[in-house]
Amino acid sequence: MNQLFNAAGQSSLYPTLLQALSRLRDSWQGDWMGLTPVLQACHGFLAAENSEFESSEARTLMACALALSEQVELKVDTDNEPHYHNRLHTADAMCGMTVLLAALNQEGYVCSQEWMAALLLTVTAHDYGHPGGANSSPQELELRSVKALDLFFVEHPITSVWRERIHHMILKTDPSLVGANHDKVAGRAFAMDLDWACVVMNEADILASATDVFGPALGEQLAAEWQLKNLPLHAIVATPQGRLGFLKSLRFSTPGSLNLQFPQHIASQLALLSPAAP
């Protein structure tokens, strides 16, 4: 199933991303396709002619990601699902990760199957069990996801090395740590290691929100979620000023996001939102 990604022949992958995000929303508003088919589409897009990864470790990581996506769908309370940190956000991040990895490949950076599978598992798990809201202490909600994932891992033979890497990447999605993650790789040539993987994960997490097409609506969903949690910033986040502040805070460091021209997309949005100079 690859109804999300079929923009073959396009030199730019940015339209492919927008197409996938649009199709997710069509499904979300109607008959939701489910996270497992989304993940299968992501895997199929990256695996190209291969129906699955050849590496046994990559296959194990991918099988775990698919099982987790099924678990999320089975356990979701649709009546109390957060407005922003919901299955649509997870699917957005899955598609963002997939297009970033494809863009890296387009730039000549070939990531191993193990890293691709681990990143797809991480993006599936990064908000596992998220109750909505924001951290009241460092990594509060990220630690919650890691603990829930550990219980899930009991049934799946992921090696300790990959478990630790996945834990680390999830913990580094705390928004307060994103700047330091980018700082850590500044000036370093790209090579997929744990530091760069954290930055890829950070970029995938906010890629949909960084687009002019889908970002404003996602800001409104975040505002609605924060209002239910009585977070004061709910009144600001979806305003033009809140959008401006969000866009100014964004950083893009990977060759994948540069290939997708996200700095230019952000600059165009800032020019429209920023007050004219006197």
Side-chain angles (χ1 to χ4, degrees), residues 242-258:
R243 179 73 180 162
L244 186 66
F246 169 72
L247 292 171
K248 285 182 175 180
S249 74
L250 295 181
R251 292 174 63 178
F252 295 97
S253 299
T254 71
S257 62
L258 300 183

Side-chain angles (χ1 to χ4, degrees), residues 102-239:
L104 281 169
N105 184 67
Q106 201 172 69
E107 289 294 315
Y109 298 95
V110 179
C111 302
S112 72
Q113 293 181 353
E114 292 82 4
W115 268 115
M116 284 194 287
L119 283 164
L120 288 174
L121 173 51
T122 304
V123 82
T124 304
H126 80 288
D127 282 332
Y128 185 35
H130 201 297
N135 287 338
S136 57
S137 59
Q139 300 179 315
E140 175 191 8
L141 298 178
E142 292 77 20
L143 282 165
R144 177 176 174 147
S145 295
V146 164
K147 289 176 182 177
L149 188 60
D150 272 341
L151 294 175
F152 176 82
F153 273 160
V154 170
E155 304 294 328
H156 298 274
I158 305 298
T159 64
S160 60
V161 170
W162 284 109
R163 289 189 189 200
E164 289 171 8
R165 287 172 176 169
I166 291 162
H167 287 168
H168 183 83
M169 287 188 281
I170 292 173
L171 293 174
K172 291 292 186 176
T173 62
D174 180 337
S176 70
L177 303 179
V178 170
N181 296 340
H182 283 270
D183 289 342
K184 198 166 186 181
V185 298
R188 283 170 47 182
F190 182 87
M192 190 62 83
D193 58 16
L194 191 53
D195 291 339
W196 272 111
C198 288
V199 175
V200 174
M201 183 61 225
N202 291 156
E203 292 182 349
D205 200 10
I206 52 82
L207 220 54
S209 294
T211 67
D212 62 340
V213 181
F214 304 106
L218 286 168
E220 291 172 4
Q221 291 163 26
L222 187 60
E225 178 177 306
W226 283 359
Q227 184 174 18
L228 287 175
K229 296 291 183 177
N230 296 314
L231 297 175
L233 286 176
H234 83 266
I236 299 170
V237 66
T239 66

Side-chain angles (χ1 to χ4, degrees), residues 244 248 267 269-277:
L244 186 66
K248 285 182 175 180
Q269 294 178 69
L270 287 174
L272 291 172
L273 286 168
S274 298

Side-chain angles (χ1 to χ4, degrees), residues 72-132:
V72 172
E73 291 286 355
L74 283 171
K75 290 199 165 187
V76 67
D77 179 358
T78 54
D79 291 332
N80 294 297
E81 196 169 7
H83 288 278
Y84 175 88
H85 289 99
N86 51 30
R87 289 167 294 156
L88 179 60
H89 166 67
T90 299
D92 281 347
M94 286 176 175
C95 290
M97 176 63 74
T98 299
V99 174
L100 279 172
L101 290 171
L104 281 169
N105 184 67
Q106 201 172 69
E107 289 294 315
Y109 298 95
V110 179
C111 302
S112 72
Q113 293 181 353
E114 292 82 4
W115 268 115
M116 284 194 287
L119 283 164
L120 288 174
L121 173 51
T122 304
V123 82
T124 304
H126 80 288
D127 282 332
Y128 185 35
H130 201 297

Side-chain angles (χ1 to χ4, degrees), residues 2-8 10 13-26 214:
N2 220 332
Q3 66 191 74
L4 288 176
F5 304 102
N6 62 2
Q10 295 192 44
L13 285 164
Y14 187 69
T16 302
L17 173 66
L18 296 183
Q19 169 193 272
L21 297 176
S22 178
R23 289 179 174 177
L24 286 177
R25 278 148 182 78
D26 289 343
F214 304 106

